[in-house]
Amino acid sequence: MKPNKTYTGLSDREVTESRLKYGENIITPPKKDTLWKRFFTKLEDPLIAILIIAGVFSTGISLYEYFGMHGEKSVFFEPMGIFIAIFLATGMAFFFEEKANKAFSILNKINDDDPVEVIRNGNTTKVAKKDIVVGDIVLLNTGAEIPADGELLEAIALNVDESTLTGEPICHKSVNPDDFDSDATFPTNHVLRGTKVMEGHGMFKVDRVGDNTENGKVFVATQIDNNVKTPLTEQLNKLSKLITIGSYVIAALILIGRMVMYFVSFDFSWIYFLQYLLTSIMICVTLIVVAVPEGLPMAVTLSLAYSMRRMFKNNNLVRKMHACETMGATTVICTDKTGTLTQNQMRVNKVYKCSNDNIINKCFIEGIAVNTTAELDLTEPKRPQAIGNPTEGALLLWLKDQKEDYRLLRQEAEIIDEIPFSTERKYMATLVKTACLPNKYVLYVKGATDIIRCKCKEIAGEAKWDNIDKQLLTWQNKAMRTLGFAYYIINEGEEILQHNNPIEKLMASFNGNERGLTFIGIVAISDPVRLDVPFAIKECLKAGIDIKIVTGDTPGTAKEIGREVGLWNDDVDKENHIITGAEFEQLTDEELQSCVLDLKIIARARPMDKKRLVEALQKCNQVVAVTGDGTNDAPALKAAHVGLSMGDGTSVAKQASDITIIDNSFNSIGRAVMWGRSLYQNIQRFILFQMTVNVAACLIVLIGAFMGTQSPLTVTQMLWVNLIMDTFAAMALASLPPSKRVMEDAPRKRSAFIISPAMKKNIFLMGGAFFLVLVALLFVLEHYTVLHVTDLFHLSHHADKGMTAYELSIFFTVFVMLQFWNMFNARAFCTGRSAFHLKGCKGFLFIAAFILVGQIAIVQLGGDMFNVSPLSVIDWALIIIITSLVLWLGEGIRFITKWIYKCI
Ligand code: ATP
């Protein structure tokens, strides 16, 4: 029984004092490994370990050369270069991974900011979870996560999921000592932080916060779940394996080639042979390091982290990483109506009372005040805010407009029993000892009119059902949510009042004939469509994504909303495009399978209908995203490929979901699709770039091994190339801004291989062309004396001589510059635009500039460490201009393709 106690809660001063004394409601995250420890785990990569060992050997040989053979100090440059390159490559990758991980920690912060309903200064208001203090009085509603530990003051049909702490999924909570369970792990009248209200509502006084709560003792920080194997990660793993095997084969061939060349060209000497063997092994290992796309997971992580951060700015809080990507493959979105398509700014628009009788009128008012779980935040009396269920909040706001004080009305009527609203039941009922009639009890019921009507025996006053139905239809056709009100009077002392669950018993006994409720009125609540929704829907439809409205509202209201958002067209859409929950349930699985794709609206739906719809669509090979806000939506959210919970939704729904749409708006869902698609394309761009470099680098080092004893790219040079294509390219390409253009394409096939046919063509054509150019250059440099780049245009000094440091520098720079320009081509891939369209690509341009400056610095200053000798300004200018042909060629192809598309 609910005592009519009023609580004033803490005052602002008491809140401050309590916070000082007992601390904040924040749990200190568990300590992570130190930065150094985390960095050293990077060096555990077997390839890096081999390189380090090779570096140590190389140092040993250099020491021998220096002390044993009285060599120059420069013999140490090569091992030094190797160590610097290893440190740089791993260090960079580590830095960006750390940065990405930091982005994920926002999830915990967001959880701490979740709003909680409390009573303070005698008023009901909302504060952030972290601001709850010991002594606060917190209100609990269905679906809420309990923010701190405390003792219950009130509990109505309260069931709590304590599985996070005790493994108990449903724990009945009560303040009635008769209900106390002596075997329960925690007292029946206690609630604990981190557990969730599955049913009912209540109120509790906080006695422990933050680290002192039970949850604080066992806290594990919420993490973005990035272990899920998505189709993309599976494909990438496959691709990595393929490249790894390929690179091992090529490395083995290189080793054989170099050994053969050694015995063909040199007289055998142990010390020289050992040195040569070590260099060869290092070249092979380095080539594997270059070829193996270690940057791929990093590109994906960076891409996801970048998308996550940006999506967060666009009101999408990603809870499970894979969702970012899956959103891009979505083919169907099943959306709620209230709050997602509409503004959730509910206001009572029309009220129709069946009778003008004074007592009935009083009961109507009392019913609205007591038969509710909502509250009004009256901190600013001129702008009262509804807290809790928005429909009930709208009714309380209407009461306020009628100059009625709902809190006073609630105090005067003693509440005996209550059944809160649920989407399955579609009504709420409260039994009170009324203040309107002496010695009487009244059962107030409000809910979907069609449901209540079956339980009604009569209508108050002169009204007829026909008139009521007509009125309802008119309102529904204006997209308004309609609600019916009824009551039942009980005399004091009647037996039913002694029953444990009197409402349940009463409702079960109402058959609408001799025993039943009296219908007293209807109300229409308006909730305008969000302004940006029609455009967002249009965009999704254009992107080949089907949208289905799943609503608990009537078919009339749902259809009108459908019309307003541009989803329903009376000329085209027929009855087979709309179905009610009841009809939906009647369908066999086969029938459902045959009509599910045509459905546009499910009205009067129940949460389990949503789950069935999701599963039926999945069986039709659709990638389904579904929205949900209620606790009962959790099964559908879990079943969907991407579950989207609403910012205003319950904690249960949020935790079952993959993404939380903070502003509840459908527009944000559309943007999540755009991000998902762009992310996939960015990863494709990275792969395209990396594979092209791979093909060129592997083949050229392989050919080099058979052409001469000197490797065309030294170990340190290859490590620089690796840094460019793995780390820098991942950074540059993985975080390119999303393009609206992706919304003009059809959704990609979920099973399609990430390397599309267009990419394959590109990789082999470009990689092959680079290889041919580089082989020709290698041949020329091996056989002709080149003292300036201009000498390449009139070759005359023919000699079979090997390559000088200067010639090696030309080769190395041409190799890097070809890749440099090709990075712009990769950026333009799939955009249908010129590579010079670089709006919003600041990061990309910065990294491109960094690569160019880095290359110049290495060649001009690298000396023996990089096996290079400086080039002149003219050399640089010529190499940059000539290699840029790659970009101009790409531009030409893009222009012609665009032109052909236009002509078609
Ligand atoms: P949507 O898809 O628009 O979000 P929903 O699935 O949330 O809708 P419900 O909340 O289940 O829809 O509402 C279904 C019907 O139940 C409404 O049309 C209304 O008549 C009635 N109803 C809604 N809220 C309440 C409430 N708090 N108390 C009583 N009846 C309600």
Side-chain angles (χ1 to χ4, degrees):
M1 212 179 277
K2 183 171 169 181
N4 281 10
K5 259 194 197 164
T6 46
Y7 298 96
T8 45
L10 300 177
S11 66
D12 290 343
R13 193 174 52 82
E14 286 166 330
V15 168
T16 318
E17 282 170 5
S18 172
R19 190 168 293 127
L20 277 175
K21 194 165 172 195
Y22 301 103
E24 286 190 305
N25 190 27
I26 292 178
I27 297 184
T28 327
K31 272 209 172 72
K32 283 204 285 186
D33 282 343
T34 59
L35 205 68
W36 279 110
K37 213 168 168 188
R38 292 203 300 276
F39 176 69
F40 280 118
T41 52
K42 287 245 102 206
L43 301 179
E44 283 166 14
D45 179 338
L47 286 171
I48 298 290
I50 295 176
L51 270 184
I52 293 176
I53 294 169
V56 171
F57 273 117
S58 168
T59 315
I61 292 179
S62 303
L63 283 171
Y64 176 77
E65 281 177 346
Y66 184 68
F67 291 110
M69 300 165 73
H70 306 290
E72 296 273 307
K73 276 190 190 142
S74 59
V75 293
F76 290 109
F77 283 167
E78 170 128 351
M80 255 169 68
I82 292 173
F83 282 118
I84 291 175
I86 294 172
F87 182 78
L88 221 71
T90 42
M92 283 287 212
F94 176 72
F95 174 75
F96 286 103
E97 258 174 45
E98 284 287 307
K99 212 172 138 193
N101 286 337
K102 227 183 222 164
F104 301 146
S105 62
I106 48 173
L107 200 58
N108 277 323
K109 290 212 185 93
I110 293 290
N111 279 348
D112 284 337
D113 285 337
D114 274 350
V116 175
E117 292 172 24
V118 291
I119 300 180
R120 280 189 187 169
N121 302 309
N123 192 19
T124 310
T125 186
K126 282 187 189 177
V127 299
K129 182 166 144 191
K130 64 173 189 283
D131 294 334
I132 295 288
V133 295
V134 170
D136 258 330
I137 292 177
V138 176
L139 304 181
L140 295 176
N141 277 314
T142 312
E145 188 181 289
I146 295 167
D149 289 3
E151 188 182 336
L152 281 169
L153 302 171
E154 288 177 20
I156 291 113
L158 191 64
N159 285 320
V160 174
D161 174 359
E162 282 188 356
S163 54
T164 46
L165 285 176
T166 61
E168 195 69 49
I170 288 290
C171 261
H172 183 65
K173 295 283 173 184
S174 171
V175 288
N176 183 355
D178 296 343
D179 297 338
F180 287 6
D181 178 359
S182 53
D183 293 335
T185 324
F186 295 105
T188 310
N189 62 340
H190 266 76
V191 284
L192 304 151
R193 183 185 159 116
T195 59
K196 287 164 228 123
V197 180
M198 300 311 283
E199 239 186 326
H201 59 112
M203 202 185 269
F204 78 99
K205 188 170 178 184
V206 175
D207 56 22
R208 276 178 298 168
V209 292
D211 291 336
N212 294 327
T213 59
E214 290 300 323
N215 183 236
K217 293 175 195 161
V218 294
F219 179 71
V220 181
T222 322
Q223 286 289 332
I224 295 271
D225 175 7
N226 52 2
N227 289 322
V228 187
K229 287 252 175 305
T230 71
L232 177 65
T233 48
E234 273 165 20
Q235 280 192 23
L236 294 181
N237 287 345
K238 247 199 276 170
L239 182 69
S240 293
K241 259 192 206 140
L242 212 78
I243 301 175
T244 309
I245 294 172
S247 61
Y248 274 91
V249 172
I250 293 181
L253 289 176
I254 292 173
L255 193 63
I256 296 169
R258 283 182 60 90
M259 288 304 109
V260 171
M261 291 311 284
Y262 178 83
F263 289 106
V264 171
S265 323
F266 298 106
D267 296 334
F268 189 78
S269 125
W270 267 111
I271 181 73
Y272 192 65
F273 175 72
L274 275 183
Q275 200 180 8
Y276 187 83
L277 181 67
L278 191 66
T279 313
S280 304
I281 291 174
M282 276 204 296
I283 288 173
C284 295
V285 175
T286 316
L287 188 94
I288 296 173
V289 173
V290 174
V292 172
E294 325 86 86
L296 206 51
M298 191 177 97
V300 177
T301 317
L302 271 177
S303 239
L304 288 171
Y306 175 70
S307 307
M308 243 190 69
R309 244 194 344 253
R310 299 299 299 268
M311 278 170 81
F312 183 59
K313 278 192 191 148
N314 280 328
N315 293 312
N316 290 292
L317 171 67
V318 179
R319 292 172 176 269
K320 298 196 182 120
M321 274 232 287
H322 75 95
C324 279
E325 174 234 324
T326 318
M327 244 355 245
T330 301
T331 56
V332 184
I333 300 173
C334 303
T335 174
D336 271 350
K337 175 182 73 69
T338 309
T340 316
L341 301 178
T342 65
Q343 296 176 6
N344 212 7
Q345 298 287 331
M346 295 204 196
R347 286 285 176 276
V348 171
N349 196 299
K350 296 267 188 299
V351 176
Y352 170 84
K353 290 182 204 152
C354 299
S355 159
N356 287 326
D357 181 273
N358 194 25
I359 295 288
I360 294 182
N361 203 11
K362 271 182 158 173
C363 286
F364 188 77
I365 301 282
E366 185 181 72
I368 291 180
V370 296
N371 188 20
T372 179
T373 53
E375 298 279 345
L376 291 186
D377 182 350
L378 299 165
T379 317
E380 289 177 60
K382 289 218 168 104
R383 289 181 53 231
Q385 299 288 325
I387 296 185
N389 182 304
T391 308
E392 293 170 359
L395 291 168
L396 291 187
L397 287 170
W398 177 79
L399 269 195
K400 185 153 192 325
D401 291 344
Q402 309 304 306
K403 310 272 177 287
E404 298 283 355
D405 184 343
Y406 81 97
R407 292 181 299 185
L408 211 65
L409 289 163
R410 263 192 218 172
Q411 265 174 45
E412 285 167 1
E414 182 189 338
I415 295 178
I416 311 296
D417 189 17
E418 179 188 303
I419 299 185
F421 173 78
S422 81
T423 308
E424 283 105 341
R425 225 181 275 123
K426 294 205 186 330
Y427 68 79
M428 172 173 183
T430 305
L431 177 62
V432 297
K433 183 165 195 299
T434 178
C436 303
L437 296 160
N439 304 327
K440 298 270 184 210
Y441 290 77
V442 180
L443 170 68
Y444 290 110
V445 183
K446 73 172 194 309
T449 311
D450 40 339
I451 305 283
I452 292 187
R453 185 178 169 167
C454 310
K455 302 278 180 192
C456 285
K457 188 179 81 172
E458 60 190 358
I459 306 174
E462 302 298 309
K464 297 275 171 292
W465 282 120
D466 279 355
N467 301 340
I468 292 172
D469 285 343
K470 235 189 248 161
Q471 188 56 261
L472 285 170
L473 202 64
T474 321
W475 290 344
Q476 283 159 9
N477 286 341
K478 289 183 183 154
M480 288 198 258
R481 158 171 287 217
T482 53
L483 233 66
F485 292 78
Y487 73 174
Y488 181 78
I489 298 176
I490 304 161
N491 293 319
E492 198 171 46
E494 269 192 44
E495 197 204 328
I496 187 76
L497 297 171
Q498 309 309 318
H499 200 273
N500 261 350
N501 305 309
I503 300 186
E504 230 168 78
K505 184 134 196 275
L506 273 170
M507 291 302 283
S509 71
F510 294 152
N511 54 14
N513 292 327
E514 58 287 353
R515 201 174 150 76
L517 298 161
T518 303
F519 196 81
I520 53 173
I522 47 176
V523 160
I525 294 174
S526 62
D527 181 13
V529 163
R530 284 172 181 269
L531 294 178
D532 50 2
V533 165
F535 176 75
I537 295 242
K538 199 168 153 200
E539 205 176 38
C540 283
L541 292 175
K542 208 164 110 195
I545 299 168
D546 248 349
I547 295 159
K548 301 187 191 300
I549 301 179
V550 185
T551 174
D553 245 321
T554 57
T557 312
K559 237 195 239 183
E560 181 51 31
I561 291 285
R563 226 176 265 133
E564 288 179 20
V565 298
L567 204 62
W568 187 269
N569 182 343
D570 282 328
D571 299 334
V572 185
D573 293 311
K574 299 278 162 326
E575 284 316 299
N576 61 335
H577 291 138
I578 182 166
I579 197 169
T580 63
E583 291 161 349
F584 187 80
E585 197 183 8
Q586 299 297 316
L587 295 177
T588 63
D589 284 348
E590 290 73 35
E591 285 168 339
L592 176 58
Q593 216 60 45
S594 63
C595 71
V596 70
L597 292 175
D598 293 333
L599 285 178
K600 281 195 170 178
I601 296 174
I602 303 188
R604 283 286 186 239
R606 284 131 326 160
M608 283 331 260
D609 298 333
K610 226 183 208 175
K611 182 169 180 257
R612 192 170 173 222
L613 174 73
V614 168
E615 286 167 349
L617 285 165
Q618 285 173 332
K619 275 190 204 144
C620 293
N621 290 326
Q622 301 295 309
V623 179
V624 189
V626 69
T627 69
D629 49 6
T631 308
N632 296 331
D633 288 325
L637 289 170
K638 279 199 179 133
H641 291 111
V642 186
L644 303 157
S645 61
M646 296 297 141
D648 285 352
T650 64
S651 292
V652 176
K654 284 183 190 165
Q655 278 166 26
S657 69
D658 306 299
I659 296 180
T660 300
I661 309 290
I662 298 167
D663 66 351
N664 304 330
S665 170
F666 190 86
N667 196 22
S668 306
I669 302 176
R671 259 181 271 163
V673 173
M674 181 178 81
W675 273 98
R677 291 186 176 190
S678 299
L679 181 145
Y680 189 79
Q681 275 194 354
N682 282 350
I683 294 170
Q684 278 185 321
R685 289 186 185 117
F686 172 69
I687 293 175
L688 175 71
F689 174 71
Q690 191 177 59
M691 293 287 285
T692 316
V693 186
N694 257 352
V695 170
C698 285
L699 292 181
I700 205 67
V701 179
L702 177 65
I703 276 291
F706 287 96
M707 272 172 76
T709 51
Q710 212 166 4
S711 173
L713 291 173
T714 64
V715 171
T716 34
Q717 287 172 358
M718 278 201 270
L719 287 173
W720 167 242
V721 169
N722 188 46
L723 196 63
I724 293 177
M725 61 185 237
D726 260 347
T727 312
F728 293 154
M731 277 156 52
L733 296 169
S735 48
L736 287 171
S739 139
K740 285 216 169 94
R741 199 175 169 274
V742 292
M743 296 302 274
E744 287 165 25
D745 304 331
R748 74 176 150 94
K749 273 216 184 86
R750 205 165 174 245
S751 55
F753 190 41
I754 188 146
I755 301 189
S756 64
M759 283 169 74
K760 251 188 233 163
K761 228 180 357 190
N762 214 309
I763 291 167
F764 286 107
L765 278 179
M766 277 295 185
F770 288 168
F771 170 66
L772 291 179
V773 170
L774 290 168
V775 167
L777 183 64
L778 194 61
F779 182 83
V780 168
L781 295 175
E782 275 269 343
H783 296 97
Y784 293 86
T785 308
V786 176
L787 300 173
H788 303 281
V789 173
T790 43
D791 293 348
L792 290 169
F793 305 117
H794 41 82
L795 299 165
S796 54
H797 318 284
H798 185 246
D800 191 5
K801 44 156 241 349
M803 288 207 280
T804 61
Y806 175 76
E807 288 168 338
L808 271 173
S809 309
I810 293 178
F811 185 82
F812 172 46
T813 307
V814 169
F815 184 92
V816 169
M817 289 315 295
L818 284 175
Q819 314 312 330
F820 173 82
W821 292 119
N822 198 35
M823 198 167 86
F824 287 82
N825 281 336
R827 185 263 167 278
F829 178 71
C830 259
T831 57
R833 281 186 161 156
S834 153
F836 294 106
H837 191 275
L838 290 162
K839 200 174 143 211
C841 300
K842 254 193 249 151
F844 177 87
L845 284 174
F846 176 76
I847 290 164
F850 190 83
I851 294 174
L852 186 63
V853 172
Q855 178 66 20
I856 295 174
I858 286 176
V859 173
Q860 299 306 109
L861 311 170
D864 287 346
M865 206 186 291
F866 278 87
N867 234 334
V868 285
S869 91
L871 302 180
S872 69
V873 177
I874 299 202
D875 293 343
W876 276 108
L878 281 174
I879 293 178
I880 291 175
I881 292 170
I882 296 170
T883 51
S884 73
L885 271 179
V886 173
L887 178 60
W888 300 117
L889 209 75
E891 281 293 279
I893 295 172
R894 275 187 289 279
F895 181 77
I896 294 169
T897 328
K898 204 170 157 185
W899 182 71
I900 293 174
Y901 261 117
K902 253 191 202 160
C903 291
I904 294 171

